[in-house]
Amino acid sequence: MKMEWTDGFRITVKSDEREVLLSANREGLLSLACQLRALAEGAPGDHIHYDAYNALEEGSSALIIERT
């Protein structure tokens, strides 16, 4: 799956034992929307890994989104 990013995107994920907070600027939300659409059109089991090494701001919790 091709990962497309809108210039200037910023995405942060914070989590605790009860909830997950995903915060993003406009460019981050547009990037996520594009990637979620591509994932929705993929096959069950397809998934996307987000972490501080490939997309998220430093200090973010890792996030995996999977198509079922």
Side-chain angles (χ1 to χ4, degrees), residues 1 31-42:
M1 175 179 352
S31 297
L32 289 171
C34 180
Q35 293 165 23
L36 290 173
R37 178 181 279 288
L39 185 60
E41 294 177 7

Side-chain angles (χ1 to χ4, degrees), residues 20-61:
V20 174
L21 172 64
L22 187 148
S23 302
N25 64 1
R26 179 182 183 278
E27 294 79 7
L29 291 172
L30 290 171
S31 297
L32 289 171
C34 180
Q35 293 165 23
L36 290 173
R37 178 181 279 288
L39 185 60
E41 294 177 7
D46 285 352
H47 58 280
I48 303 171
H49 290 258
Y50 298 100
D51 58 38
Y53 300 106
N54 70 2
L56 304 180
E57 296 296 305
E58 186 174 331
S60 290
S61 299

